[in-house]
Amino acid sequence: MKKFFLASASVAALLISAPALAGPGGNSSGVTQSGDNQSAAVNQTGTNDVSTIEQANANNTAVVNQDGTIGGSSDINQTGTGNHATVSTQQDDGSPYPGGPSAEGPSYPPGAAPISVSTITQDGNNNNATVIQKTATSAVPNNSDIKQGGDSNN
């Protein structure tokens, strides 16, 4: 019970202080945990990044690292026991133009902003998932959607 209380107090402190730590780019993160021995870590060094982590049951871990200027979105949902989810790199180069700035000058119409979107859903036990997304001057966003049901999926 002591471990659960300390983890809950740490999460509560993180959630209360998160708005004060948000930078000018408006990064945001939400963590919801129920059960024992849950672990979540979010590192947002870019701007316009959003992450959500939801964990239920016990012994789940989630790590999110976001860096970029256009913004990334990460959603991790774990409902089993002993699951591990990592968004180890989610970044963009900040270019709003497909292929980078145009030689045609400033009248070049912007393309779709580079953005990385990641969703990891793990139902079951002892599943592992890792996502690496790097968007570089691309008109097409990076999207990953990992769904694992059952046990011991990698």
Side-chain angles (χ1 to χ4, degrees):
M1 185 66 167
K2 189 180 229 182
K3 285 185 180 181
F4 177 71
F5 175 73
L6 292 175
S8 298
S10 296
V11 170
L14 176 66
L15 293 175
I16 291 169
S17 65
L21 298 175
N27 291 331
S28 67
S29 179
V31 177
T32 303
Q33 297 173 314
S34 62
D36 295 329
N37 298 317
Q38 310 285 20
S39 173
V42 177
N43 182 24
Q44 295 173 316
T45 58
T47 54
N48 304 310
D49 294 315
V50 177
S51 81
T52 303
I53 298 172
E54 296 181 13
Q55 297 172 314
N57 287 329
N59 302 315
N60 294 305
T61 61
V63 176
V64 174
N65 292 303
Q66 295 174 312
D67 179 27
T69 57
I70 301 299
S73 174
S74 174
D75 184 20
I76 296 174
N77 187 336
Q78 299 171 311
T79 59
T81 299
N83 294 306
H84 303 279
T86 303
V87 178
S88 66
T89 303
Q90 190 177 56
Q91 65 184 188
D92 63 73
D93 69 350
S95 174
Y97 301 104
S102 172
E104 299 172 14
S107 62
Y108 182 74
I115 187 169
S116 298
V117 178
S118 172
T119 303
I120 300 173
T121 303
Q122 295 175 317
D123 298 320
N125 302 314
N126 302 312
N127 296 305
N128 292 301
T130 300
V131 173
I132 298 172
Q133 294 176 315
K134 293 184 180 182
T135 304
T137 57
S138 173
V140 181
N142 286 326
N143 293 307
S144 72
D145 189 6
I146 298 173
K147 292 184 172 132
Q148 295 177 320
D151 297 337
S152 301
N153 294 301
N154 289 308

XYZ file of all heavy atoms in Angstrom, residues 2 4 11 18 23 31 39-40 55 57 65 71 81 86-87 93-94 101 109 128 131 142-144:
167
model
N 2.009 1.194 0.653
C 2.885 2.351 0.725
C 3.381 2.754 -0.658
O 3.417 3.915 -1.008
C 4.049 2.053 1.650
C 4.901 3.252 1.964
C 6.026 2.865 2.899
C 6.088 3.823 4.049
N 7.179 3.518 4.959
N 1.938 2.209 -3.557
C 0.825 2.780 -4.302
C 0.587 4.223 -3.895
O 0.385 5.083 -4.735
C -0.434 1.943 -4.098
C -1.631 2.529 -4.780
C -1.724 2.508 -6.155
C -2.647 3.124 -4.066
C -2.811 3.065 -6.800
C -3.725 3.682 -4.699
C -3.810 3.648 -6.075
N 2.252 11.212 -8.992
C 1.438 11.550 -10.160
C 0.607 12.797 -9.885
O 0.507 13.688 -10.721
C 0.536 10.362 -10.564
C -0.475 10.778 -11.612
C 1.401 9.220 -11.078
N 2.182 20.437 -13.768
C 2.341 20.431 -15.224
C 1.943 21.757 -15.881
O 2.666 22.245 -16.740
C 1.567 19.274 -15.839
N 5.619 25.155 -21.567
C 6.369 26.218 -22.233
C 5.476 27.043 -23.130
O 4.273 26.833 -23.208
N -1.802 12.031 -17.379
C -1.519 10.662 -16.937
C -2.623 10.236 -15.983
O -2.911 10.932 -15.006
C -0.145 10.580 -16.225
C 0.102 9.172 -15.708
C 0.980 11.016 -17.159
N 4.090 2.992 -13.744
C 5.165 3.954 -13.965
C 4.944 4.673 -15.286
O 4.693 4.036 -16.309
C 6.509 3.210 -13.996
O 7.544 4.079 -14.354
N 5.045 6.004 -15.258
C 4.882 6.805 -16.475
C 5.871 7.964 -16.440
O 6.045 8.600 -15.403
C 3.456 7.343 -16.590
N -3.292 3.908 -17.597
C -2.834 2.599 -17.165
C -3.777 2.040 -16.113
O -4.146 2.745 -15.175
C -1.420 2.687 -16.578
C -0.374 3.142 -17.570
C 0.974 3.411 -16.917
O 1.041 4.050 -15.875
N 2.036 2.927 -17.540
N -4.711 -1.860 -13.847
C -4.208 -3.118 -13.290
C -2.876 -2.878 -12.606
O -2.808 -2.032 -11.737
C -4.174 -4.247 -14.308
C -5.582 -4.741 -14.602
O -6.449 -4.709 -13.748
N -5.813 -5.179 -15.820
N 8.878 10.494 -25.245
C 9.835 11.564 -25.509
C 9.391 12.300 -26.768
O 9.354 11.701 -27.843
C 11.247 11.000 -25.710
C 11.799 10.413 -24.435
O 11.884 11.099 -23.428
N 12.151 9.145 -24.471
N 4.624 19.829 -33.667
C 3.854 19.151 -32.635
C 3.649 17.685 -32.925
O 3.512 17.278 -34.071
N -1.400 -6.321 -17.336
C -0.375 -6.333 -16.295
C 0.986 -6.561 -16.932
O 1.135 -7.390 -17.821
C -0.667 -7.465 -15.290
O -1.936 -7.221 -14.693
C 0.381 -7.523 -14.202
N 6.793 2.389 -25.202
C 7.755 3.472 -25.294
C 7.607 4.194 -26.624
O 7.622 3.563 -27.674
C 9.207 2.935 -25.194
O 9.339 2.215 -23.975
C 10.210 4.067 -25.236
N 7.425 5.502 -26.569
C 7.574 6.353 -27.744
C 8.938 6.988 -27.541
O 9.074 7.998 -26.858
C 6.451 7.398 -27.854
C 6.657 8.292 -29.062
C 5.091 6.707 -27.927
N 11.052 18.450 -37.965
C 12.077 19.474 -38.200
C 11.505 20.884 -38.243
O 12.228 21.845 -38.444
C 12.835 19.180 -39.498
C 11.980 19.366 -40.727
O 10.753 19.542 -40.579
O 12.518 19.323 -41.835
N 10.195 21.032 -38.074
C 9.588 22.354 -38.005
C 9.234 22.982 -39.332
O 8.729 24.089 -39.382
N 11.521 24.513 -47.571
C 11.190 25.805 -48.181
C 11.333 25.755 -49.700
O 12.221 25.114 -50.231
C 12.208 26.758 -47.560
C 12.620 26.091 -46.293
C 12.557 24.614 -46.566
N 2.641 27.823 -51.489
C 1.617 27.464 -50.497
C 2.124 26.380 -49.553
O 2.738 25.410 -49.989
C 0.467 26.943 -51.360
C 1.095 26.494 -52.625
C 2.304 27.358 -52.829
N 5.087 -5.676 -25.214
C 6.074 -4.619 -25.418
C 5.818 -3.928 -26.747
O 5.585 -4.606 -27.752
C 7.500 -5.200 -25.442
C 7.904 -5.736 -24.091
O 7.917 -5.016 -23.107
N 8.225 -7.025 -24.038
N 7.896 2.847 -30.436
C 7.663 3.658 -31.628
C 8.783 4.689 -31.749
O 9.138 5.340 -30.765
C 6.299 4.382 -31.555
C 6.126 5.363 -32.693
C 5.165 3.377 -31.526
N 3.563 11.206 -40.111
C 3.840 9.850 -39.645
C 2.737 9.435 -38.701
O 2.471 10.131 -37.725
C 5.171 9.797 -38.877
C 6.369 9.883 -39.772
O 6.350 9.382 -40.881
N 7.423 10.513 -39.290
N 2.100 8.322 -38.989
C 1.058 7.801 -38.117
C 1.394 6.365 -37.755
O 1.698 5.563 -38.645
C -0.312 7.840 -38.797
C -0.797 9.247 -39.022
O -0.839 10.038 -38.092
N -1.148 9.567 -40.248
N 1.339 6.046 -36.478
C 1.501 4.662 -36.059
C 0.349 4.310 -35.132
O -0.081 5.122 -34.312
C 2.838 4.436 -35.358
O 2.843 5.033 -34.087
